[in-house]
mmCIF file of all heavy atoms in Angstrom:
data_model
loop_
_atom_site.group_PDB
_atom_site.id
_atom_site.type_symbol
_atom_site.label_atom_id
_atom_site.label_comp_id
_atom_site.label_asym_id
_atom_site.label_seq_id
_atom_site.Cartn_x
_atom_site.Cartn_y
_atom_site.Cartn_z
ATOM 1 N N VAL K 222 110.644 48.283 -172.251
ATOM 2 C CA VAL K 222 111.037 47.692 -173.533
ATOM 3 C C VAL K 222 112.305 48.384 -174.020
ATOM 4 O O VAL K 222 112.322 49.602 -174.182
ATOM 5 C CB VAL K 222 109.909 47.851 -174.573
ATOM 6 C CG1 VAL K 222 110.377 47.349 -175.935
ATOM 7 C CG2 VAL K 222 108.661 47.095 -174.133
ATOM 8 N N MET K 223 113.375 47.599 -174.187
ATOM 9 C CA MET K 223 114.622 48.174 -174.728
ATOM 10 C C MET K 223 114.758 47.729 -176.176
ATOM 11 O O MET K 223 114.890 46.539 -176.447
ATOM 12 C CB MET K 223 115.840 47.674 -173.928
ATOM 13 C CG MET K 223 115.873 48.180 -172.502
ATOM 14 S SD MET K 223 117.360 47.616 -171.641
ATOM 15 C CE MET K 223 118.610 48.631 -172.426
ATOM 16 N N ILE K 224 114.717 48.695 -177.087
ATOM 17 C CA ILE K 224 114.771 48.321 -178.504
ATOM 18 C C ILE K 224 115.688 49.247 -179.292
ATOM 19 O O ILE K 224 115.925 50.394 -178.926
ATOM 20 C CB ILE K 224 113.361 48.375 -179.165
ATOM 21 C CG1 ILE K 224 112.598 49.609 -178.707
ATOM 22 C CG2 ILE K 224 112.582 47.109 -178.893
ATOM 23 C CD1 ILE K 224 111.299 49.844 -179.422
ATOM 24 N N ARG K 225 116.150 48.707 -180.393
ATOM 25 C CA ARG K 225 116.875 49.506 -181.379
ATOM 26 C C ARG K 225 116.727 48.788 -182.709
ATOM 27 O O ARG K 225 116.229 47.650 -182.760
ATOM 28 C CB ARG K 225 118.342 49.671 -181.030
ATOM 29 C CG ARG K 225 119.058 48.355 -180.790
ATOM 30 C CD ARG K 225 120.534 48.489 -180.962
ATOM 31 N NE ARG K 225 120.991 47.434 -181.866
ATOM 32 C CZ ARG K 225 122.194 47.391 -182.409
ATOM 33 N NH1 ARG K 225 123.058 48.355 -182.177
ATOM 34 N NH2 ARG K 225 122.546 46.405 -183.198
ATOM 35 N N GLY K 226 117.108 49.457 -183.744
ATOM 36 C CA GLY K 226 116.990 48.832 -185.064
ATOM 37 C C GLY K 226 118.070 47.784 -185.241
ATOM 38 O O GLY K 226 118.809 47.468 -184.309
ATOM 39 N N GLY K 227 118.154 47.228 -186.428
ATOM 40 C CA GLY K 227 119.097 46.147 -186.707
ATOM 41 C C GLY K 227 120.543 46.521 -186.410
ATOM 42 O O GLY K 227 121.129 46.037 -185.456
ATOM 43 N N GLY K 228 121.085 47.426 -187.167
ATOM 44 C CA GLY K 228 122.464 47.853 -186.950
ATOM 45 C C GLY K 228 123.454 46.739 -187.215
ATOM 46 O O GLY K 228 123.073 45.603 -187.454
ATOM 47 N N SER K 229 124.720 47.096 -187.173
ATOM 48 C CA SER K 229 125.724 46.068 -187.432
ATOM 49 C C SER K 229 125.994 45.304 -186.156
ATOM 50 O O SER K 229 125.825 45.815 -185.060
ATOM 51 C CB SER K 229 127.014 46.721 -187.945
ATOM 52 O OG SER K 229 127.545 47.556 -186.940
ATOM 53 N N SER K 230 126.410 44.067 -186.325
ATOM 54 C CA SER K 230 126.522 43.187 -185.174
ATOM 55 C C SER K 230 127.634 43.640 -184.232
ATOM 56 O O SER K 230 127.587 43.366 -183.048
ATOM 57 C CB SER K 230 126.746 41.752 -185.626
ATOM 58 O OG SER K 230 127.951 41.679 -186.351
ATOM 59 N N SER K 231 128.609 44.347 -184.761
ATOM 60 C CA SER K 231 129.691 44.773 -183.883
ATOM 61 C C SER K 231 129.180 45.771 -182.843
ATOM 62 O O SER K 231 129.683 45.843 -181.739
ATOM 63 C CB SER K 231 130.823 45.406 -184.698
ATOM 64 O OG SER K 231 130.368 46.593 -185.305
ATOM 65 N N ASP K 232 128.135 46.520 -183.223
ATOM 66 C CA ASP K 232 127.568 47.483 -182.294
ATOM 67 C C ASP K 232 127.011 46.823 -181.049
ATOM 68 O O ASP K 232 126.895 47.435 -180.004
ATOM 69 C CB ASP K 232 126.433 48.266 -182.971
ATOM 70 C CG ASP K 232 127.010 49.369 -183.833
ATOM 71 O OD1 ASP K 232 128.238 49.584 -183.735
ATOM 72 O OD2 ASP K 232 126.244 49.980 -184.569
ATOM 73 N N LEU K 233 126.614 45.547 -181.229
ATOM 74 C CA LEU K 233 125.971 44.861 -180.124
ATOM 75 C C LEU K 233 126.920 44.693 -178.956
ATOM 76 O O LEU K 233 126.490 44.531 -177.827
ATOM 77 C CB LEU K 233 125.472 43.486 -180.580
ATOM 78 C CG LEU K 233 124.167 43.517 -181.361
ATOM 79 C CD1 LEU K 233 123.745 42.102 -181.664
ATOM 80 C CD2 LEU K 233 123.098 44.235 -180.574
ATOM 81 N N GLN K 234 128.208 44.723 -179.221
ATOM 82 C CA GLN K 234 129.154 44.477 -178.151
ATOM 83 C C GLN K 234 129.042 45.517 -177.041
ATOM 84 O O GLN K 234 129.343 45.234 -175.891
ATOM 85 C CB GLN K 234 130.578 44.456 -178.711
ATOM 86 C CG GLN K 234 130.792 43.209 -179.551
ATOM 87 C CD GLN K 234 132.210 43.086 -180.046
ATOM 88 O OE1 GLN K 234 133.102 43.786 -179.567
ATOM 89 N NE2 GLN K 234 132.418 42.210 -181.009
ATOM 90 N N SER K 235 128.539 46.710 -177.387
ATOM 91 C CA SER K 235 128.422 47.736 -176.357
ATOM 92 C C SER K 235 127.332 47.393 -175.344
ATOM 93 O O SER K 235 127.280 47.973 -174.267
ATOM 94 C CB SER K 235 128.152 49.099 -176.993
ATOM 95 O OG SER K 235 127.138 48.981 -177.975
ATOM 96 N N PHE K 236 126.457 46.425 -175.705
ATOM 97 C CA PHE K 236 125.433 46.004 -174.749
ATOM 98 C C PHE K 236 125.951 44.899 -173.830
ATOM 99 O O PHE K 236 125.318 44.565 -172.849
ATOM 100 C CB PHE K 236 124.176 45.520 -175.481
ATOM 101 C CG PHE K 236 123.406 46.638 -176.118
ATOM 102 C CD1 PHE K 236 123.593 46.952 -177.463
ATOM 103 C CD2 PHE K 236 122.525 47.403 -175.370
ATOM 104 C CE1 PHE K 236 122.890 47.986 -178.042
ATOM 105 C CE2 PHE K 236 121.828 48.448 -175.951
ATOM 106 C CZ PHE K 236 122.014 48.737 -177.295
ATOM 107 N N ASP K 237 127.078 44.297 -174.250
ATOM 108 C CA ASP K 237 127.678 43.271 -173.394
ATOM 109 C C ASP K 237 128.464 43.953 -172.294
ATOM 110 O O ASP K 237 129.688 43.959 -172.292
ATOM 111 C CB ASP K 237 128.564 42.332 -174.225
ATOM 112 C CG ASP K 237 127.725 41.411 -175.088
ATOM 113 O OD1 ASP K 237 126.632 41.030 -174.649
ATOM 114 O OD2 ASP K 237 128.170 41.096 -176.204
ATOM 115 N N ASP K 238 127.710 44.523 -171.369
ATOM 116 C CA ASP K 238 128.324 45.358 -170.340
ATOM 117 C C ASP K 238 127.825 44.908 -168.981
ATOM 118 O O ASP K 238 126.615 44.746 -168.775
ATOM 119 C CB ASP K 238 127.941 46.819 -170.603
ATOM 120 C CG ASP K 238 128.527 47.761 -169.570
ATOM 121 O OD1 ASP K 238 127.849 47.983 -168.535
ATOM 122 O OD2 ASP K 238 129.651 48.249 -169.791
ATOM 123 N N TYR K 239 128.748 44.696 -168.065
ATOM 124 C CA TYR K 239 128.345 44.155 -166.759
ATOM 125 C C TYR K 239 127.385 45.089 -166.033
ATOM 126 O O TYR K 239 126.337 44.646 -165.531
ATOM 127 C CB TYR K 239 129.570 43.889 -165.881
ATOM 128 C CG TYR K 239 129.148 43.535 -164.480
ATOM 129 C CD1 TYR K 239 128.659 42.271 -164.186
ATOM 130 C CD2 TYR K 239 129.197 44.488 -163.458
ATOM 131 C CE1 TYR K 239 128.216 41.948 -162.924
ATOM 132 C CE2 TYR K 239 128.755 44.170 -162.179
ATOM 133 C CZ TYR K 239 128.270 42.900 -161.917
ATOM 134 O OH TYR K 239 127.834 42.594 -160.658
ATOM 135 N N ALA K 240 127.695 46.369 -165.968
ATOM 136 C CA ALA K 240 126.866 47.310 -165.195
ATOM 137 C C ALA K 240 125.453 47.369 -165.761
ATOM 138 O O ALA K 240 124.461 47.334 -165.015
ATOM 139 C CB ALA K 240 127.499 48.694 -165.201
ATOM 140 N N LEU K 241 125.353 47.439 -167.091
ATOM 141 C CA LEU K 241 124.034 47.504 -167.720
ATOM 142 C C LEU K 241 123.250 46.205 -167.456
ATOM 143 O O LEU K 241 122.069 46.236 -167.087
ATOM 144 C CB LEU K 241 124.177 47.733 -169.235
ATOM 145 C CG LEU K 241 122.869 47.754 -170.023
ATOM 146 C CD1 LEU K 241 121.910 48.797 -169.463
ATOM 147 C CD2 LEU K 241 123.136 48.026 -171.507
ATOM 148 N N ALA K 242 123.934 45.067 -167.611
ATOM 149 C CA ALA K 242 123.268 43.777 -167.394
ATOM 150 C C ALA K 242 122.799 43.661 -165.955
ATOM 151 O O ALA K 242 121.679 43.196 -165.683
ATOM 152 C CB ALA K 242 124.215 42.630 -167.746
#
Side-chain angles (χ1 to χ4, degrees):
Chain K
V222 175
M223 293 182 72
I224 42 173
R225 54 158 231 168
S229 64
S230 61
S231 65
D232 280 351
L233 281 184
Q234 289 184 14
S235 46
F236 288 96
D237 287 326
D238 179 271
Y239 171 77
L241 177 56

